[in-house]
Amino acid sequence: MDEQKHTPHLRGRKAVPAQYRRRISVKKPLLIGIGALVCVAVALLLWQPWESSSEENQNTFTPPPDQVIHIVAGGDVSISDKTVAAGQTVNGYNYQNVFQDVLPILASGDITMLNFEGILSGSDYGTESRSAPPELLRDLANAGVDVLQTANTYSVYDGLRGLNSTLQGIRNAGIAPLGTYSGSSEFNESGGYIIWEVGGIKVAMMAFTKGMDGMGLPTDNCVNLLYKDYTSTYQKVDEDGITQVVRNAAAHDPDVMIALVHWGSKESTQPSKSQNKICTILKDEGVDAIIGTHPHSIQTVEFDEAAGTFVAWSLGVFYGEEANYSVLLDLEITKDGLTGATKVTGFDYVPVYLETQADGSVRLLRIREAIAGYENRYLDRVSEETYNAMVTALTRIESRMGAK
């Protein structure tokens, strides 16, 4: 393309055609004198404003901006015949359709975490083995999941072999496992926690479980535990073990600490006395957010805006057959640009529902959007039965989480 040609012009005024310019004859000494006077006048006019502006600039301080990140957390990914079969195809396993509707929420987190209540140990997938196909982890990673809690009921379901293959499979999917270790050496090397820096904020994460379905540890320090009597009554809180992990993380001066805890009793709606004790221990050690799973039901949340701390006693089952609704939690974490103080400054949540379709396939849906789609008669709307179930679920969720 030819270079465009532009007509020359004078900055600040129009160019005057030559035929309209007046010829002015001025003698050289007079011209010099006039020029000097003009320079002095301009200098006097400009000096005071420049000096004042300079002083003003020196006295003006703009604090650095606050840093804000969002942590997205969901409940249990529970491995069963139904949840495995949902991704089965003629060419293997694929779970993209299962997570498609909730993908925007999972992908929106600066860090997104779920509780993986299963193992990766052999190809006999389903309820009996609790083993999941690796494609499930691949598709969770593709949907935006960064961290999977592995300290839970099924941490050692296939012994040390199952534990190690699960850790390796999760890492192979590009996700970080949290709360379990191959043994004392790996635990000591990690300190029992992980720290990620994202958006200028250093986040420490740790995970604990009440027990492992009555099973004992196959080797020392392979699972972060909440109780000393973890194979029986869950009454003796392991305060030393909990504080050791938290203090290991705190020694690296993170901006914020988050604990994922697998605790409580299935189908319970209120935390127990020992859960309250654990919560107090974690808060006293500086943990800012505590996110619970295991009861398979949604429990209440507690947000102390002044202190900047948050507790979700249970988020429910994200993907499983024990319950068909849960929430995806969105925690806002803010680091003050001036002081560096960091805390939880807000939260939101998205209710989700696991729909079983007529052909037996399942998909996770955002409840509010699916209800709106039914009421507006969208082509891909849910059935009337599912619509009614979602309306009931939403009422229950909002009564425990607080309407948003």
Side-chain angles (χ1 to χ4, degrees):
M1 182 181 293
D2 293 337
E3 183 179 349
Q4 292 183 344
K5 298 183 182 297
H6 299 277
T7 303
H9 64 275
L10 302 178
R11 176 176 292 184
R13 60 173 181 173
K14 295 180 181 179
V16 181
Q19 62 267 34
Y20 295 112
R21 294 177 191 159
R22 293 178 58 192
R23 293 182 177 271
I24 302 175
S25 176
V26 183
K27 293 184 179 179
K28 189 172 183 180
L30 179 59
L31 183 61
I32 293 173
I34 293 173
L37 289 173
V38 170
C39 290
V40 171
V42 170
L44 288 173
L45 287 172
L46 295 179
W47 172 256
Q48 186 60 37
W50 177 87
E51 183 179 27
S52 174
S53 175
S54 197
E55 289 177 356
E56 185 178 336
N57 289 337
Q58 290 176 358
N59 294 329
T60 300
F61 172 72
T62 302
D66 294 345
Q67 304 292 329
V68 180
I69 63 171
H70 288 264
I71 307 294
V72 171
D76 304 306
V77 176
S78 183
I79 304 307
S80 66
D81 292 340
K82 178 179 179 178
T83 54
V84 169
Q88 192 164 14
T89 71
V90 294
N91 298 316
Y93 290 90
N94 189 308
Y95 295 87
Q96 291 181 10
N97 290 337
V98 174
F99 303 120
Q100 182 175 356
D101 193 59
V102 296
L103 185 150
I105 311 303
L106 296 173
S108 69
D110 293 289
I111 302 175
T112 297
M113 52 186 71
L114 300 171
N115 174 50
F116 179 61
E117 203 167 19
I119 58 175
L120 296 169
S121 184
S123 57
D124 183 19
Y125 308 131
T127 303
E128 185 174 351
S129 68
R130 296 294 171 177
S131 184
E135 291 86 352
L136 174 60
L137 279 297
R138 176 202 65 195
D139 292 336
L140 284 171
N142 289 339
V145 175
D146 304 295
V147 176
L148 283 176
Q149 177 179 356
T150 49
N152 54 50
T153 302
Y154 298 108
S155 296
V156 296
Y157 202 72
D158 189 26
L160 194 57
R161 179 178 76 96
L163 174 61
N164 286 329
S165 63
T166 301
L167 290 171
Q168 190 58 52
I170 291 173
R171 289 172 180 142
N172 287 345
I175 302 175
L178 187 63
T180 60
Y181 313 90
S182 60
S184 294
S185 177
E186 186 177 6
F187 171 82
N188 292 333
E189 184 179 351
S190 69
Y193 63 91
I194 59 176
I195 291 182
W196 285 2
E197 185 164 350
V198 57
I201 297 176
K202 190 188 295 186
V203 182
M205 295 167 279
M206 58 210 76
F208 303 87
T209 183
K210 63 179 290 185
M212 297 152 295
D213 203 24
M215 293 178 283
L217 294 178
T219 186
D220 291 339
N221 296 319
C222 61
V223 182
N224 288 345
L225 296 167
L226 293 171
Y227 297 90
K228 293 179 180 179
D229 56 344
Y230 65 90
T231 61
S232 56
T233 58
Y234 314 113
Q235 294 299 313
K236 299 177 182 178
V237 175
D238 188 359
E239 185 168 354
D240 290 341
I242 295 169
T243 56
Q244 178 191 357
V245 171
V246 179
R247 290 176 185 179
N248 286 346
H252 294 274
D253 197 26
D255 295 306
V256 65
M257 294 197 288
I258 299 173
L260 308 184
V261 285
H262 198 67
W263 60 2
S265 300
K266 288 186 178 180
E267 309 308 328
S268 64
T269 58
Q270 298 294 329
S272 66
K273 184 182 295 185
S274 67
Q275 282 179 268
N276 277 284
K277 181 178 180 179
I278 291 166
C279 185
T280 299
I281 292 169
L282 290 169
K283 284 184 176 180
D284 287 348
E285 291 295 322
V287 172
D288 302 278
I290 301 168
I291 300 171
T293 55
H294 180 61
H296 292 176
S297 60
I298 297 172
Q299 296 180 0
T300 57
V301 298
E302 299 172 9
F303 175 41
D304 187 334
E305 190 170 1
T309 59
F310 181 89
V311 180
W313 292 100
S314 174
L315 296 182
V317 178
F318 172 70
Y319 180 55
E321 58 182 317
E322 296 87 347
N324 54 13
Y325 63 87
S326 67
V327 296
L328 283 171
L329 179 69
D330 182 342
L331 283 182
E332 180 187 76
I333 310 292
T334 303
K335 181 176 183 178
D336 189 287
L338 187 59
T339 67
T342 309
K343 63 181 183 178
V344 181
T345 50
F347 79 97
D348 201 351
Y349 62 88
V350 176
V352 296
Y353 187 91
L354 185 64
E355 178 203 28
T356 301
Q357 297 175 294
D359 61 359
S361 61
V362 300
R363 57 177 179 168
L364 278 162
L365 300 174
R366 293 168 291 172
I367 291 179
R368 294 191 184 104
E369 287 75 8
I371 287 176
Y374 179 87
E375 292 175 347
N376 288 284
R377 303 188 63 80
Y378 289 178
L379 289 176
D380 193 29
R381 64 184 179 273
V382 299
S383 67
E384 182 179 3
E385 180 183 2
T386 298
Y387 167 77
N388 290 330
M390 287 194 299
V391 170
T392 300
L394 184 59
T395 300
R396 291 175 179 171
I397 290 169
E398 290 181 340
S399 70
R400 295 170 189 173
M401 298 289 292
K404 286 285 182 181

